Amino acid sequence: MLTTFRRRLTLLFAGTTSLILTVIFLIVWVYQNHLYQAQQENLFQNYLLELSNKLEADIHFSDNWLALMEAENRLIIHIEENRVPLFFPGSWEPASSRSELIEKARKKALDEQVDISRPPLTTSMRKTSVMQIEGEKGDIYQAAALLMPSGSTSKALILLQDITEMRQRKLSLGIFFLLLDLAGFAALFLAARLILGRAMQPIAEYQQRQTDFISAASHELRSPLTVIQTSASVIEDDPGQAAAMSRIIRRECSRSGKLIRDLLLLASSDSGTLSRKLEEVEADALLLRLFESYETVCRQKDISLKLHMPDDILPPVLSDPAYLYQLLSILLENAITYGIPPSGKKPVIELSAHQSGRHITLSVTDHGLGIPDEKKEAVFRRFYRGDPSRSKKEHFGLGLSIASELARQLKCRLTVLDTPGGGACFRIELTKTGTSSS
């Protein structure tokens, strides 16, 4: 679905931008052709004016001058006096027959009521507009004809100019703009594909995480529900087992409830609806409360829980006390579960706090197997179980991911380091009140 959306968005972006580019190229091409055609017509009118002035002034046309005029400007000059053509064979050979082109121009002039084969009916000069003549070989000419009375004589002029090259230039320019447009579309498509691919990568990753999250959550919920269903069936078949099965059902309900609470917290964090109440929190008092809450639990598990506090009273930090306590509890429970030394020695967990500059650092340290460097980021993923001990039924692999989300919500820094001699040390870096957040 996301791939299809990306493809459609790429085509929409590239197509829209390419359409705008095509319109711009088309406008430029039309304007360029119009400008070039206007220049050609102006030059043609100048040639026509020069020849008509010479005719009116009764200046003699030499063959050399006519030949030079024709050859340099790709002209065909046909002059008649009293309907008798001036003997001039022309200085160059057009693609089509010279006489046929002149005859076509003569017929075109008749459409504008300029008949050079008859004497003029008035004493005023008659002239056609600039006409277009097509030859037999695909050659194109612009042409004009004029009829000029001069006393008892009449003079006529048919002038043609080969503009085939201009038409070819128009076509070449159009092909150039078309190729440029296609290249622009290809470049825009590739750029859009690259940019949108990078822009949508976080969305794709988030969608994949959501899919994995739902799949893992469904799997985790299936296990306690299966146990509850089985226990209920046992009670129906053997009422004498009701007490034992009821304890199992209550235990699994408790596990399911904890999982649902964790999932709701993560969902609230993802949607941005997780509410927090920031206030001044005494870090040393919070650590003491945490130590008192878990000292008995650790003693029952034969774990030594130690508390290291500085001699001076720690300054308060700005945080949510409930979420900060939950964050520390998760780290402590993680240390209780996974901080078992491989040598079989008595497990030791250390709670500590120290201040440096404008920060206060709270640490939970164990002396267990530790976390390899390549897995230090992975342990904060949801439902991550990189260690065999994480497959125990009482753990869902959500603890550290919730800790990471809480740290993000509280705007504090959560890191994991190696404990000298083996083990893991989780550190929370908080900012003292009255200082800006790092």
Side-chain angles (χ1 to χ4, degrees):
M1 179 178 176
L2 195 62
T3 304
T4 303
F5 175 71
R6 174 190 169 188
R7 187 184 301 114
R8 290 179 178 176
L9 197 61
T10 301
L11 289 174
L12 178 63
F13 172 78
T16 304
T17 311
S18 181
L19 181 61
I20 296 173
L21 194 64
T22 302
V23 172
I24 293 173
F25 283 154
L26 185 62
I27 292 173
V28 172
W29 180 66
V30 171
Y31 174 76
Q32 190 72 22
N33 287 338
H34 175 75
L35 186 64
Y36 188 67
Q37 185 173 350
Q39 290 175 346
Q40 287 294 110
E41 288 185 3
N42 287 336
L43 284 173
F44 182 74
Q45 292 285 5
N46 290 338
Y47 300 145
L48 185 63
L49 180 61
E50 183 178 1
L51 289 169
S52 63
N53 287 338
K54 286 182 178 293
L55 283 175
E56 190 176 13
D58 202 18
I59 297 175
H60 174 71
F61 292 97
S62 67
D63 287 351
N64 289 336
W65 185 85
L66 288 172
L68 187 62
M69 185 78 169
E70 279 196 356
E72 288 183 348
N73 304 294
R74 304 286 291 178
L75 298 174
I76 297 176
I77 302 173
H78 178 76
I79 300 174
E80 294 183 3
E81 187 172 346
N82 293 330
R83 297 173 299 285
V84 177
L86 179 67
F87 179 75
F88 176 65
S91 62
W92 65 285
E93 191 65 31
S96 299
S97 169
R98 187 183 184 94
S99 59
E100 288 181 2
L101 294 172
I102 294 172
E103 188 59 30
K104 284 186 178 182
R106 191 191 301 272
K107 291 179 180 179
K108 278 261 187 181
L110 283 175
D111 295 338
E112 299 186 22
Q113 286 77 44
V114 178
D115 188 359
I116 65 174
S117 63
R118 293 182 181 181
L121 300 177
T122 63
T123 58
S124 60
M125 183 178 69
R126 301 289 304 279
K127 185 175 69 170
T128 66
S129 61
V130 178
M131 306 174 294
Q132 186 169 299
I133 306 295
E134 294 186 6
E136 302 296 332
K137 308 293 185 180
D139 42 336
I140 309 293
Y141 302 84
Q142 56 185 357
L146 61 84
L147 184 61
M148 182 183 300
S150 180
S152 58
T153 63
S154 63
K155 297 178 181 179
L157 170 66
I158 295 177
L159 181 65
L160 298 94
Q161 185 181 26
D162 188 354
I163 58 171
T164 307
E165 185 179 350
M166 183 182 73
R167 179 64 62 86
Q168 291 173 347
R169 286 183 182 179
K170 288 182 181 180
L171 182 61
S172 299
L173 187 63
I175 293 174
F176 172 74
F177 280 137
L178 177 61
L179 293 176
L180 198 62
D181 187 41
L182 292 175
F185 174 77
L188 286 169
F189 180 82
L190 293 175
R193 183 180 177 85
L194 179 63
I195 293 171
L196 288 174
R198 291 183 177 179
M200 296 185 72
Q201 186 174 358
I203 300 176
E205 292 176 353
Y206 178 78
Q207 187 182 49
Q208 185 61 44
R209 286 200 302 269
Q210 289 294 95
T211 302
D212 295 342
F213 178 75
I214 293 172
S215 175
S218 302
H219 176 75
E220 295 293 346
L221 284 169
R222 189 183 301 117
S223 177
L225 289 175
T226 301
V227 174
I228 291 172
Q229 186 178 19
T230 303
S231 300
S233 299
V234 171
I235 293 175
E236 291 178 355
D237 296 337
D238 186 4
Q241 298 289 331
M245 293 300 104
S246 295
R247 286 194 297 272
I248 294 174
I249 290 174
R250 283 196 297 271
R251 184 188 66 197
E252 294 303 322
C253 287
S254 176
R255 288 184 65 242
S256 301
K258 182 179 183 304
L259 174 60
I260 291 171
R261 287 194 299 272
D262 291 344
L263 293 176
L264 287 174
L265 189 147
L266 290 172
S268 299
S269 178
D270 289 342
S271 62
T273 58
L274 188 65
S275 60
R276 53 195 176 120
K277 183 180 178 182
L278 298 180
E279 57 184 66
E280 287 190 352
V281 179
E282 302 294 339
D284 45 8
L286 188 70
L287 277 182
L288 283 171
R289 184 157 64 93
L290 184 71
F291 177 78
E292 291 173 356
S293 299
Y294 281 90
E295 185 181 19
T296 304
V297 176
C298 290
R299 191 183 307 115
Q300 290 175 350
K301 294 179 178 290
D302 196 27
I303 297 174
S304 175
L305 181 62
K306 298 181 179 180
L307 178 63
H308 304 289
M309 301 286 289
D311 295 333
D312 298 330
I313 297 176
L314 293 172
V317 295
L318 187 64
S319 185
D320 185 304
Y323 285 155
L324 183 57
Y325 185 85
Q326 184 179 1
L327 171 55
L328 288 167
S329 298
I330 291 171
L331 298 180
L332 188 54
E333 289 173 1
N334 183 78
I336 291 172
T337 304
Y338 306 116
I340 309 300
S343 59
K345 294 181 180 179
K346 183 177 181 178
V348 177
I349 298 174
E350 300 174 71
L351 293 176
S352 59
H354 72 275
Q355 60 176 317
S356 175
R358 57 180 183 174
H359 296 112
I360 293 176
T361 303
L362 307 180
S363 303
V364 178
T365 306
D366 66 65
H367 300 273
L369 293 173
I371 303 172
D373 291 339
E374 64 273 11
K375 294 183 180 180
K376 281 186 171 61
E377 292 185 8
V379 294
F380 294 107
R381 295 180 196 159
R382 299 172 186 182
F383 297 104
Y384 175 79
R385 288 187 175 116
D387 190 276
S389 61
R390 287 182 177 260
S391 61
K392 294 179 181 179
K393 288 182 62 177
E394 62 269 20
H395 301 289
F396 301 106
L398 288 176
L400 291 180
S401 64
I402 293 175
S404 178
E405 289 296 328
L406 290 174
R408 186 172 64 86
Q409 292 292 332
L410 297 176
K411 299 187 183 304
C412 59
R413 186 182 178 192
L414 174 63
T415 56
V416 55
L417 304 172
D418 293 328
T419 303
C425 176
F426 288 86
R427 289 184 178 178
I428 305 171
E429 190 176 86
L430 301 160
T431 304
K432 300 176 186 176
T433 56
T435 61
S436 59
S437 178
S438 59

